Amino acid sequence: MALFGKRRGANKPTDNRLPVTRRGAVLLGVQALVAGALGWRMRQLQVVETERYRTLAEENRINMRLIAPARAQLFDRNGEPLAINTRNYRVTMVREQAGDAEAMLKRLGMLIDIPERHRRRVLKEIKGKSAFVPIGVAEHLSWEDFAEINANAPALPGIHPEVGLSRFYPHGEQTAHVVGYVGRVTQRDLDRITAAGKEPDPILQIPEFQIGKTGAERALELDLRGTAGNRRIEVNSVGRVIRELDRSEGIGGEDLHLTLDLEMQKFCHERLGDESAATVLMDVRNGDLLAMASNPTYNPNPFVLGISSREYNSLLEDDHRPLHNKWASGMYPPGSTFKMVVALAALEEGVIGPGETVYCPGHLQLGKRKFHCWSRGGHGWVNLRKSLEQSCDVYYYEIARRVGIEKIGAMARKLGLGVDLDLPVAAMRSGLIPTKAWKRKRHETDWLVGDTLNSGIGQGYVLATPLQLAVMTSRIAAGNMLQPRLIRAKAGSPVMAKQPEDMGIDPKHFAYIRRGMFDVVNSARGTARKVKIKDDEFRMAGKTGTSQVRNISKAERARGVIRNEDLPWNRRDHALFVGYAPAENPRYAVAVVVEHGGGGSKAAAPIARDILVKTRDHFGGGRSVPLEQGQRAPNDAASRT
Amino acid sequence: MSSLTVNAPVNLSLAQKILRLNWALILLVSAISGAGFLMLYSVAGGDLEPWSGRQITRFGVGIVIMLIVALIDIRVWRWFSPVAYLGAMALLVAVEFIGTKGMGAQRWLDLGPIQLQPSELMKIGVVMALARYYSVLDSDRVSHPLWMLPPLVMIALPMLLVLKQPDLGTALLIGMSGGVVMFLAGVSWWYWGTLIALGGSAVWAVIESKGTTWQILKDYQYRRIDTFLDPESDPLGAGYHITQSKIAMGSGGLSGRGFMQGTQSRLNFLPEKHTDFIFTTLSEEFGFVGSITLLALYGLVLLFCFGSMAINRDRFGALLIGGLSATFFFFWAVNMAMVMGLIPVVGVPLPLVSYGGSAMLVLLLSFGLIQSAHVHRPKVI
């Protein structure tokens, strides 16, 4: 039937070959085309583009990994350790070996204490990283805990006890501001480097690398870090190391001995007690910074591995600001401690002679304004010596007016104020010595004579850090441009102190100033007579200072608020004192600033006296024999290396 | 009985049969398999374990099977075709319920010493059944819609079952094998044209529907296509295999890195290096020279099969040879195209070379059938 199609006649032989063969040939043709396309593609990959793929293959395989050398260590001048690398017993976990990470952590938690936030961090990190990357679980384990984990190793697959190196500060609290601390590299650190126009060293990418964050650790980062070594390794496609091809060890940084004397440093902190204060002690003969204490202080060790935000916040909220480095960054009006600068400038310019007198009736009238002296009744006739001894403000208003702010500024800079010092101190500020140009730029008004008068007594715009004040005092005591230094020796070999430049100032003028400073402490009417050292061989010379945090207004004066004790703590004046000893042959200079301490003679001078007395006892007494730069007396305790 | 059946010569002696074997094909198949043994040795890191040795063993067994099958009269196979088809179908159904999962897809029947992959048997079953069908059918009725239904059903059913596993690759290959037999049998050109047009519009529809509510394919399937079109866009994800494969092949260069020097493969950059991507390893180690040679060997197999088909006047035999050799072609062409990044990853092994016990046996079985058709071809009068 037609519905089922035509049917050929039965029994007719058919040659089936032709149609099938023809179609077969068509099929073969198609197959040949496909094979041709495949062959062409092979050629493209393996002949034409082979170089490109060769390179990609190489990149797959060879990896360069950096090896971080051990960080150089810091010591005080006598070899006491300040920043060292300790063995850090730690535990890491490798997810693919541990299997169930949470369960393994729980098991581990039965042996050692794992705080909840650590646990959470570990679980979070595990999710983010490849299964074979070890994740740090616990650091700084005790030997006992470490041993216990090792003993239980078969029950803890994927848990790896390791011994690593971590930074430790044995005298953390005393040296926190000088030494600083290290921590993990953050984006901020990297940004800071690129902002300075440099490429961040690839070693910073190593996960557990510790970079200096504050203090000498930061300022001397490149010296301490050394150079990374590297190893070339062959990896498979998931980054697992198959074998190491070659290796070159890095070069460690050089251990550094600082000029710091740990015992003096400890003493300074103790002596500062509960005060919000700072002190700097320098060696006048070679510029060594023997102690730099900022109070209150803090323990830097928790910062190394990551301080808890609770602890950190409590440090931030403390109104005595323990994290703030007061001797490097604290900028205070120097007050009367600035008077030596003004006096020197005036002497050098010849606008006043040492015997010339100025009359102080208790104030100086400038136009409509009265510039008060601290002594209401006035000092009467005042010469240079007396002006320092009794710290007469009117004298200094007068001579400041005569010599002018520019000359005062120049002298200040010579003595180390208002300039940057070349020291590995990350937090260093340069204070402020104003000029006419500065005021025009900063406040967009002209300099007034009244500003000069205020500068004359170390108020107004003038600002200095305790470090700078110590340098100033040392330079006055030494009579030359002594350079402060913090590094005593590198890799065991001493660093020679630079020969100080001459300042081009008449030594007689220095002598007059020093005599005045001697009287401040040792004469019957000196403002600091109460702290006189009763040792003829070791007398102290110095200068008190009181710097106003705010002006006591006329209204307040009328109300009877004229004394600092009447003001709340954080509005009281700062107390300052600078001094040196022995007066005849200066060896040590000290600057003390007590925030909101009130009067310089009452709050700061006793501290300075005690510190200098301590140097006498600690370093073996004063000598009248002058010494070469950098040289130490034979039986000097400080000559121990 | 249909008059289209041409009488095959009766009573060939064993010796005569052996002489009539297509020795060229046997040599080619052995050579290709030999390349496989070499590569499996290499990717195991210079070890006969765990792959090369077993492959050799299976090859040995397979050759024996092939010869046995070859020496059995083609008429037996012709009679056996429906049984083969239905048997394979039964196994396919069985594997749905009692199959063991392999690689995420139900494919295997664990029968102790061997693991049976029913979809492999189905490939042969379809070809045999269709060849039988068309050897019976009047050549005039071949293109008639009514008479096209049975073959289409015979193809569609196994395809659906295999698709359910899910094994898209094998399903498509079954469809194509069946289609080839239909093509060789003489189904009208019009159908093929329409099919191509339909296929083209289907592809267009799939692409256009992406992102709309009518989306045809699943998201991951679209991603596969995207990755295929640009493997570098997802170098560690789906595009990883292809990228690594191309790198490995390309780095082989003209003469390759040398036997056992395939670094990409050795270091695990190349996944599935003993199965789907074994061709890549060969290309890496033996370079362009090696890959072209292998391509040529495969091509020669096709050529000799064509020749065998051309001189075979028995319709069943010719269609059988044509269908089975085309199936063989599809597998290696798809695999090579895949590892070279020409088509998306579909998980198709390289026949005779990739490691895979049942695949090897089934292949040699089909070559046995080809040989049988060849040996028992009608003598030209």
Side-chain angles (χ1 to χ4, degrees), chain A residues 541-554:
Chain A
K543 185 74 191 76
T544 53
T546 308
S547 76
Q548 285 186 315
V549 174
R550 52 182 283 279
N551 273 318
I552 296 176
S553 69
K554 258 197 197 148

PDB file of all heavy atoms in Angstrom, chain A residues 541-554:
ATOM      1  N   ALA A 541      74.085  73.039  87.961  1.00  0.00           N
ATOM      2  CA  ALA A 541      73.661  74.350  87.462  1.00  0.00           C
ATOM      3  C   ALA A 541      72.438  74.127  86.601  1.00  0.00           C
ATOM      4  O   ALA A 541      72.304  73.072  86.005  1.00  0.00           O
ATOM      5  CB  ALA A 541      74.787  74.972  86.639  1.00  0.00           C
ATOM      6  N   GLY A 542      71.541  75.129  86.557  1.00  0.00           N
ATOM      7  CA  GLY A 542      70.350  74.863  85.755  1.00  0.00           C
ATOM      8  C   GLY A 542      69.461  76.064  85.629  1.00  0.00           C
ATOM      9  O   GLY A 542      69.871  77.189  85.882  1.00  0.00           O
ATOM     10  N   LYS A 543      68.221  75.817  85.191  1.00  0.00           N
ATOM     11  CA  LYS A 543      67.247  76.890  85.019  1.00  0.00           C
ATOM     12  C   LYS A 543      65.862  76.320  85.194  1.00  0.00           C
ATOM     13  O   LYS A 543      65.526  75.273  84.622  1.00  0.00           O
ATOM     14  CB  LYS A 543      67.387  77.531  83.635  1.00  0.00           C
ATOM     15  CG  LYS A 543      66.491  78.725  83.436  1.00  0.00           C
ATOM     16  CD  LYS A 543      67.023  79.934  84.230  1.00  0.00           C
ATOM     17  CE  LYS A 543      66.000  81.037  84.249  1.00  0.00           C
ATOM     18  NZ  LYS A 543      64.886  80.753  85.191  1.00  0.00           N
ATOM     19  N   THR A 544      65.067  77.018  86.017  1.00  0.00           N
ATOM     20  CA  THR A 544      63.676  76.611  86.178  1.00  0.00           C
ATOM     21  C   THR A 544      62.847  77.203  85.057  1.00  0.00           C
ATOM     22  O   THR A 544      63.256  78.166  84.410  1.00  0.00           O
ATOM     23  CB  THR A 544      63.106  77.144  87.506  1.00  0.00           C
ATOM     24  OG1 THR A 544      63.339  78.561  87.534  1.00  0.00           O
ATOM     25  CG2 THR A 544      63.766  76.482  88.686  1.00  0.00           C
ATOM     26  N   GLY A 545      61.677  76.633  84.881  1.00  0.00           N
ATOM     27  CA  GLY A 545      60.761  77.199  83.889  1.00  0.00           C
ATOM     28  C   GLY A 545      59.341  76.833  84.258  1.00  0.00           C
ATOM     29  O   GLY A 545      59.080  75.778  84.825  1.00  0.00           O
ATOM     30  N   THR A 546      58.467  77.758  83.945  1.00  0.00           N
ATOM     31  CA  THR A 546      57.053  77.478  84.160  1.00  0.00           C
ATOM     32  C   THR A 546      56.359  77.953  82.908  1.00  0.00           C
ATOM     33  O   THR A 546      56.470  79.125  82.550  1.00  0.00           O
ATOM     34  CB  THR A 546      56.522  78.260  85.387  1.00  0.00           C
ATOM     35  OG1 THR A 546      57.391  77.990  86.485  1.00  0.00           O
ATOM     36  CG2 THR A 546      55.122  77.823  85.719  1.00  0.00           C
ATOM     37  N   SER A 547      55.702  77.071  82.210  1.00  0.00           N
ATOM     38  CA  SER A 547      55.087  77.555  80.979  1.00  0.00           C
ATOM     39  C   SER A 547      53.585  77.498  81.100  1.00  0.00           C
ATOM     40  O   SER A 547      53.006  76.519  81.564  1.00  0.00           O
ATOM     41  CB  SER A 547      55.569  76.733  79.791  1.00  0.00           C
ATOM     42  OG  SER A 547      54.952  75.487  79.734  1.00  0.00           O
ATOM     43  N   GLN A 548      53.016  78.581  80.647  1.00  0.00           N
ATOM     44  CA  GLN A 548      51.584  78.720  80.805  1.00  0.00           C
ATOM     45  C   GLN A 548      50.875  77.864  79.786  1.00  0.00           C
ATOM     46  O   GLN A 548      51.171  77.887  78.601  1.00  0.00           O
ATOM     47  CB  GLN A 548      51.174  80.171  80.605  1.00  0.00           C
ATOM     48  CG  GLN A 548      51.534  81.046  81.787  1.00  0.00           C
ATOM     49  CD  GLN A 548      50.970  82.423  81.598  1.00  0.00           C
ATOM     50  OE1 GLN A 548      51.078  82.978  80.507  1.00  0.00           O
ATOM     51  NE2 GLN A 548      50.388  82.986  82.625  1.00  0.00           N
ATOM     52  N   VAL A 549      49.906  77.138  80.324  1.00  0.00           N
ATOM     53  CA  VAL A 549      49.039  76.410  79.394  1.00  0.00           C
ATOM     54  C   VAL A 549      48.001  77.359  78.848  1.00  0.00           C
ATOM     55  O   VAL A 549      47.545  77.283  77.734  1.00  0.00           O
ATOM     56  CB  VAL A 549      48.365  75.228  80.134  1.00  0.00           C
ATOM     57  CG1 VAL A 549      47.346  74.537  79.257  1.00  0.00           C
ATOM     58  CG2 VAL A 549      49.433  74.250  80.564  1.00  0.00           C
ATOM     59  N   ARG A 550      47.619  78.251  79.700  1.00  0.00           N
ATOM     60  CA  ARG A 550      46.699  79.286  79.231  1.00  0.00           C
ATOM     61  C   ARG A 550      46.972  80.558  80.018  1.00  0.00           C
ATOM     62  O   ARG A 550      47.504  80.543  81.102  1.00  0.00           O
ATOM     63  CB  ARG A 550      45.259  78.841  79.449  1.00  0.00           C
ATOM     64  CG  ARG A 550      44.995  78.401  80.876  1.00  0.00           C
ATOM     65  CD  ARG A 550      43.586  77.924  81.022  1.00  0.00           C
ATOM     66  NE  ARG A 550      42.652  79.022  81.086  1.00  0.00           N
ATOM     67  CZ  ARG A 550      42.403  79.721  82.185  1.00  0.00           C
ATOM     68  NH1 ARG A 550      43.013  79.455  83.310  1.00  0.00           N
ATOM     69  NH2 ARG A 550      41.528  80.706  82.157  1.00  0.00           N
ATOM     70  N   ASN A 551      46.594  81.637  79.437  1.00  0.00           N
ATOM     71  CA  ASN A 551      46.764  82.911  80.123  1.00  0.00           C
ATOM     72  C   ASN A 551      45.789  83.043  81.273  1.00  0.00           C
ATOM     73  O   ASN A 551      44.601  82.747  81.112  1.00  0.00           O
ATOM     74  CB  ASN A 551      46.475  84.069  79.166  1.00  0.00           C
ATOM     75  CG  ASN A 551      47.728  84.436  78.398  1.00  0.00           C
ATOM     76  OD1 ASN A 551      48.803  84.479  78.953  1.00  0.00           O
ATOM     77  ND2 ASN A 551      47.552  84.714  77.124  1.00  0.00           N
ATOM     78  N   ILE A 552      46.276  83.476  82.393  1.00  0.00           N
ATOM     79  CA  ILE A 552      45.345  83.804  83.484  1.00  0.00           C
ATOM     80  C   ILE A 552      44.792  85.180  83.162  1.00  0.00           C
ATOM     81  O   ILE A 552      45.509  86.160  83.073  1.00  0.00           O
ATOM     82  CB  ILE A 552      46.068  83.795  84.848  1.00  0.00           C
ATOM     83  CG1 ILE A 552      46.569  82.371  85.135  1.00  0.00           C
ATOM     84  CG2 ILE A 552      45.161  84.298  85.940  1.00  0.00           C
ATOM     85  CD1 ILE A 552      47.384  82.252  86.392  1.00  0.00           C
ATOM     86  N   SER A 553      43.512  85.186  82.952  1.00  0.00           N
ATOM     87  CA  SER A 553      42.918  86.431  82.458  1.00  0.00           C
ATOM     88  C   SER A 553      42.832  87.466  83.573  1.00  0.00           C
ATOM     89  O   SER A 553      42.936  87.168  84.753  1.00  0.00           O
ATOM     90  CB  SER A 553      41.525  86.160  81.895  1.00  0.00           C
ATOM     91  OG  SER A 553      40.650  85.816  82.960  1.00  0.00           O
ATOM     92  N   LYS A 554      42.606  88.690  83.091  1.00  0.00           N
ATOM     93  CA  LYS A 554      42.462  89.806  84.027  1.00  0.00           C
ATOM     94  C   LYS A 554      41.350  89.514  85.012  1.00  0.00           C
ATOM     95  O   LYS A 554      41.473  89.741  86.208  1.00  0.00           O
ATOM     96  CB  LYS A 554      42.105  91.080  83.238  1.00  0.00           C
ATOM     97  CG  LYS A 554      43.244  92.023  83.034  1.00  0.00           C
ATOM     98  CD  LYS A 554      42.725  93.398  82.635  1.00  0.00           C
ATOM     99  CE  LYS A 554      43.888  94.200  82.034  1.00  0.00           C
ATOM    100  NZ  LYS A 554      43.468  95.133  81.003  1.00  0.00           N
TER     101      LYS A 554
END
